Amino acid sequence: MATIYDVSVLAGVSLATVSRVMNKNAKVSEKTCKKVLDAMAELGYRPNAVAQSLASNRSNSVGILVSELKGQFYGAMLSGIEAELREAGKHVIITAGHANEADEIDGIEFLIDRSCDALILHVEAVSDEYLVELSKGAVPFVLINRNIKELADNCVSLDNEKGGYVATKTLIDKGHKDIAYIAGPMWKSDALGRLAGHKRALAEHNLNFSDELFFEGNYRQSGGVAGMNHLIESGKSFSAVVCANDETASGAMTVCRENNLKIPEEVSIVGFDNIIFAGHLYPKLTTLDYPIIEMGHMAAKLTLQNSYQANNLKIKHLFDPELIVRDSVSKIN
Amino acid sequence: MATIYDVSVLAGVSLATVSRVMNKNAKVSEKTCKKVLDAMAELGYRPNAVAQSLASNRSNSVGILVSELKGQFYGAMLSGIEAELREAGKHVIITAGHANEADEIDGIEFLIDRSCDALILHVEAVSDEYLVELSKGAVPFVLINRNIKELADNCVSLDNEKGGYVATKTLIDKGHKDIAYIAGPMWKSDALGRLAGHKRALAEHNLNFSDELFFEGNYRQSGGVAGMNHLIESGKSFSAVVCANDETASGAMTVCRENNLKIPEEVSIVGFDNIIFAGHLYPKLTTLDYPIIEMGHMAAKLTLQNSYQANNLKIKHLFDPELIVRDSVSKIN
DNA sequence: TTGTAAGCGTTATCAT
DNA sequence: ATGATAACGCTTACAA
């Protein structure tokens, strides 16, 4: 592998000059520049990224921590992040935090040790205090899907409360009054936000929130299954259920079918996230679109701006979920 | 940030000795070792990964190229790979190849420039020749979901042909004779393999393969939609359709419902991959399980063995898909 | 067992 | 505009 030294010899210039043409940060006469470029081409020279990092103290890599690699949601998020960063010549180092505190901290330290220039974190278990503390450290980071007041400038998040509100409001507008709720894990802030929106919609329309029509799930199908079973067994009547996400809805729908509860005639269902499969469930799921790919792009842009002096980027911190109407909600009188 | 030098001063030993205790590769007296460890602890020393790489010519990073980051399948794959590698202290640099040749080559070069010690490639567009050529280069790699004779030792793949065979055989055993096929893109080797298995099963039972009951899809829901519409419009009768993957099946099922074709009474359907949603479609999809997480682990193990002298690892190159019987296939007489 | 010192391939600060 | 040269933080012969 040719080094910068080989290039300098062949071009008949100094190391420094070669470095200059690579980095285009200082004036080099057109002639010299061409000589260098030719030499590079002839040798098939490729800069050694590691040596560059050591000397410049920048690695051009950004570390990404997500809860899980599997699942539609995280894939979409990574997709947005990677596309944006790759285009800027940065690369992403990805690791998983498994939504528990020890692993998340572990992952963050792992990435920092890997000398990432910046981090994009999708963390759920770690406390706000920890993050505020972390922000005083040397490695800047952006938070995705989380909003902490003190770090607001570095957050990209969804208005979960509004989403929860819209989901329930949609049902109310269709005449529903007995509305059940299958939540996500109550220690996750987005799950809390969605539930809060649900409660606000209820309150605004003078409907009571009933503990019996509430179930804490896990954001997965199994939670929807357990939740719907619980609701049916409770004996309390309900005409609709809002599910904290689409996977939960999918599980709930399966149980409805097994119990011959017709959707949407007997039970209306609203999901959240609008994952690809939402449109292929039966019936097609009415849900709230979570623009996660776009948000991944935005987190990456924010990173580019904060850590790589990109500018003229339009930054947006808070995104709105959008109602996608399909077939799982019916009107009642 | 403390450096190895600071540690050596505080511990009262040389740089080399500190390096030795870090790498545990040479004898250091217990006493000295303790002194060094204490000094490290006191300073909160963290080795600089970049400097280590430059000096040792190993980066402890492995580059992963996948077609897409979004979608269940790739997420599951990455999950297996990352878990295995992370446990070994390696980190993964991930990039996407978008299933087209230019981007795949681009991605590979990007990763090589990033001085990865090894690569794990999920490539579809690049030719066998290119890969054979690449294997002569300096950076070793493992191929996942692809099997090239010359590189067999570095491949981890699924027996797609067998899977296609089993899918169709299952239908034949249930009495089906008019079996349609909605394929994946015919330039993908796994799509070809699955189709080949389908044809073999047909031939073994003296059933003809009919061009009219064949449709080339795209491995996505839209392909299943288009395929099933095509089959219905063709007017040819069929009692079953095997779909090249679950997403295709999902799209096809949606069309069946819209046309009041009852599954499985009027049309039986078999999928492939067993993605999470397969069990939550309506009806629950009979499909072939693709053990992709396990295969991700295996690709990582192979990498650990080839590039990081791990040993005692049980390596398996070819995996078998396994039939998962659910509700989308019926018996006919 | 431990220390000395020469790299690893760049960048960046001085001079010139 | 260009060239020397000292870092960057670590590994690894080679000596002792």
Side-chain angles (χ1 to χ4, degrees):
Chain A
M1 202 73 283
T3 72
I4 196 178
Y5 177 78
D6 302 323
V7 175
S8 76
V9 170
L10 181 58
V13 300
S14 73
L15 286 185
T17 302
V18 179
S19 176
R20 285 187 188 102
V21 347
M22 289 181 49
N23 299 298
K24 320 173 190 292
N25 52 6
K27 337 227 136 263
V28 178
S29 81
E30 205 149 309
K31 240 170 68 183
T32 335
C33 185
K34 179 166 169 18
K35 276 195 302 187
V36 172
L37 259 15
D38 287 349
M40 284 181 172
E42 185 171 340
L43 294 170
Y45 170 75
R46 315 283 285 271
N48 180 317
V50 174
Q52 286 179 315
S53 300
L54 183 59
S56 67
N57 202 27
R58 268 180 300 96
S59 63
N60 284 313
S61 71
V62 357
I64 319 287
L65 181 69
V66 292
S67 293
E68 294 295 340
L69 259 3
K70 43 194 169 201
Q72 302 242 324
F73 184 81
Y74 298 106
M77 182 175 122
L78 291 175
S79 173
I81 296 176
E82 196 267 345
E84 190 77 33
L85 254 20
R86 169 80 179 282
E87 198 188 317
K90 314 302 174 193
H91 70 263
V92 300
I93 297 180
I94 298 179
T95 194
H98 304 300
N100 81 281
E101 189 171 9
D103 282 354
E104 287 186 354
I105 293 181
D106 229 55
I108 290 171
E109 292 181 347
F110 179 79
L111 292 172
I112 292 178
D113 282 353
R114 251 44 232 206
S115 61
C116 294
D117 296 331
L119 308 179
I120 296 178
L121 306 177
H122 181 289
V123 283
E124 311 188 281
V126 121
S127 71
D128 284 10
E129 292 72 43
Y130 171 85
L131 291 167
V132 170
E133 200 53 39
L134 184 66
S135 72
K136 297 173 185 155
V139 184
F141 59 86
V142 163
L143 256 22
I144 186 166
N145 193 38
R146 183 151 170 174
N147 191 358
I148 298 182
K149 246 186 235 92
E150 295 93 319
L151 307 173
D153 287 347
N154 299 311
C155 292
V156 173
S157 63
L158 185 78
D159 194 338
N160 284 293
E161 202 273 347
K162 183 185 283 184
Y165 177 84
V166 171
T168 300
K169 177 85 159 71
T170 302
L171 259 7
I172 295 174
D173 288 348
K174 293 279 187 184
H176 293 272
K177 296 198 185 317
D178 303 308
I179 303 174
Y181 194 93
I182 303 179
M186 290 287 82
W187 58 271
K188 296 200 180 189
S189 61
D190 53 3
L192 283 172
R194 293 173 191 189
L195 178 59
H198 166 70
K199 288 183 174 173
R200 177 162 64 91
L202 250 31
E204 273 187 13
H205 295 80
N206 296 314
L207 296 172
N208 285 323
F209 173 80
S210 150
D211 280 331
E212 291 168 283
L213 290 181
F214 172 83
F215 185 85
E216 177 177 345
N218 55 8
Y219 271 159
R220 283 179 291 160
Q221 271 110 345
S222 57
V225 168
M228 187 56 81
N229 277 324
H230 172 85
L231 293 175
I232 292 174
E233 282 160 17
S234 79
K236 253 227 148 187
S237 88
F238 57 93
S239 65
V241 15
V242 358
C243 296
N245 72 353
D246 291 349
E247 307 198 14
T248 300
S250 157
M253 288 164 79
T254 299
V255 172
C256 286
R257 265 195 303 275
E258 285 166 355
N259 288 271
N260 291 314
L261 279 174
K262 295 233 178 324
I263 306 171
E265 295 79 1
E266 300 173 67
V267 184
S268 288
I269 297 211
V270 180
F272 204 117
D273 281 354
N274 194 28
I275 58 178
I276 298 183
F277 264 90
H280 286 273
L281 289 171
Y282 176 64
K284 294 173 184 166
L285 185 64
T286 290
T287 188
L288 284 136
D289 184 62
Y290 190 142
I292 183 61
I293 295 186
E294 199 191 338
M295 287 172 63
H297 275 275
M298 191 54 69
K301 279 184 180 162
L302 193 48
T303 301
L304 254 15
Q305 187 194 65
N306 291 347
S307 305
Y308 297 109
Q309 51 272 86
N311 38 29
N312 293 327
L313 298 178
K314 284 211 175 23
I315 301 297
K316 183 174 162 188
H317 291 280
L318 189 61
F319 285 72
D320 281 334
E322 188 196 344
L323 183 69
I324 307 291
V325 176
R326 286 198 274 250
D327 309 334
S328 63
V329 171
S330 71
K331 196 168 193 168
I332 66 177
N333 40 1
Chain B
M1 202 73 286
T3 73
I4 195 177
Y5 176 79
D6 302 323
V7 176
S8 76
V9 171
L10 182 57
V13 299
S14 72
L15 287 185
T17 301
V18 177
S19 175
R20 286 186 187 104
V21 349
M22 289 180 49
N23 299 296
K24 318 173 192 293
N25 52 7
K27 338 226 135 267
V28 178
S29 81
E30 205 149 309
K31 238 169 73 184
T32 335
C33 184
K34 180 166 169 17
K35 276 196 301 190
V36 173
L37 259 15
D38 287 349
M40 285 181 170
E42 186 170 342
L43 294 170
Y45 169 74
R46 316 282 285 267
N48 179 317
V50 173
Q52 286 179 315
S53 300
L54 184 59
S56 66
N57 202 29
R58 269 180 298 98
S59 63
N60 283 314
S61 73
V62 356
I64 318 286
L65 179 70
V66 292
S67 292
E68 293 297 340
L69 257 5
K70 43 193 169 202
Q72 302 241 324
F73 184 80
Y74 299 106
M77 185 175 118
L78 291 175
S79 171
I81 295 176
E82 196 266 347
E84 189 78 33
L85 253 22
R86 169 81 181 280
E87 198 188 317
K90 314 302 174 193
H91 71 262
V92 300
I93 297 179
I94 298 180
T95 195
H98 306 299
N100 80 281
E101 189 171 9
D103 283 354
E104 287 186 353
I105 293 180
D106 229 56
I108 291 172
E109 292 181 347
F110 179 79
L111 293 173
I112 292 178
D113 281 352
R114 252 44 231 205
S115 61
C116 294
D117 296 331
L119 307 179
I120 296 178
L121 307 177
H122 181 289
V123 283
E124 312 188 280
V126 119
S127 71
D128 285 9
E129 292 71 43
Y130 171 85
L131 291 167
V132 170
E133 200 54 38
L134 183 67
S135 72
K136 296 172 185 156
V139 184
F141 60 86
V142 163
L143 255 23
I144 186 166
N145 194 38
R146 182 150 171 176
N147 192 358
I148 297 182
K149 245 185 234 96
E150 295 93 319
L151 307 173
D153 288 348
N154 299 313
C155 293
V156 172
S157 63
L158 185 77
D159 193 338
N160 284 294
E161 201 273 347
K162 183 185 282 184
Y165 177 85
V166 170
T168 300
K169 176 87 161 70
T170 302
L171 259 8
I172 295 174
D173 288 348
K174 293 277 188 186
H176 293 272
K177 295 196 185 318
D178 303 307
I179 304 175
Y181 193 93
I182 303 179
M186 289 286 83
W187 58 271
K188 296 200 181 190
S189 62
D190 52 3
L192 283 172
R194 293 172 192 190
L195 178 59
H198 167 70
K199 289 184 174 173
R200 177 163 65 91
L202 250 32
E204 274 187 12
H205 297 79
N206 297 312
L207 296 172
N208 286 323
F209 173 81
S210 149
D211 280 331
E212 292 169 281
L213 290 181
F214 172 84
F215 185 85
E216 178 177 344
N218 56 6
Y219 272 160
R220 285 179 291 161
Q221 271 111 344
S222 58
V225 169
M228 186 57 82
N229 277 324
H230 171 86
L231 294 174
I232 292 173
E233 282 161 16
S234 79
K236 252 227 147 186
S237 88
F238 56 93
S239 65
V241 16
V242 357
C243 295
N245 72 354
D246 291 348
E247 306 198 13
T248 301
S250 156
M253 289 164 79
T254 299
V255 172
C256 285
R257 264 194 303 273
E258 285 166 353
N259 286 273
N260 291 314
L261 279 174
K262 296 233 177 327
I263 306 172
E265 295 80 1
E266 300 174 67
V267 184
S268 289
I269 297 212
V270 181
F272 204 118
D273 281 354
N274 194 29
I275 58 178
I276 298 181
F277 264 91
H280 287 273
L281 290 171
Y282 176 65
K284 295 174 183 164
L285 185 63
T286 291
T287 189
L288 284 135
D289 184 63
Y290 190 142
I292 184 59
I293 296 187
E294 198 192 338
M295 286 172 64
H297 274 276
M298 190 55 67
K301 280 183 181 164
L302 193 48
T303 301
L304 254 17
Q305 187 194 66
N306 291 347
S307 304
Y308 296 109
Q309 52 272 89
N311 38 29
N312 292 329
L313 298 177
K314 283 210 178 18
I315 301 297
K316 182 174 164 186
H317 291 280
L318 189 63
F319 285 71
D320 281 332
E322 188 195 344
L323 183 70
I324 306 291
V325 176
R326 287 197 273 249
D327 308 336
S328 63
V329 171
S330 72
K331 198 169 193 166
I332 65 177
N333 42 2

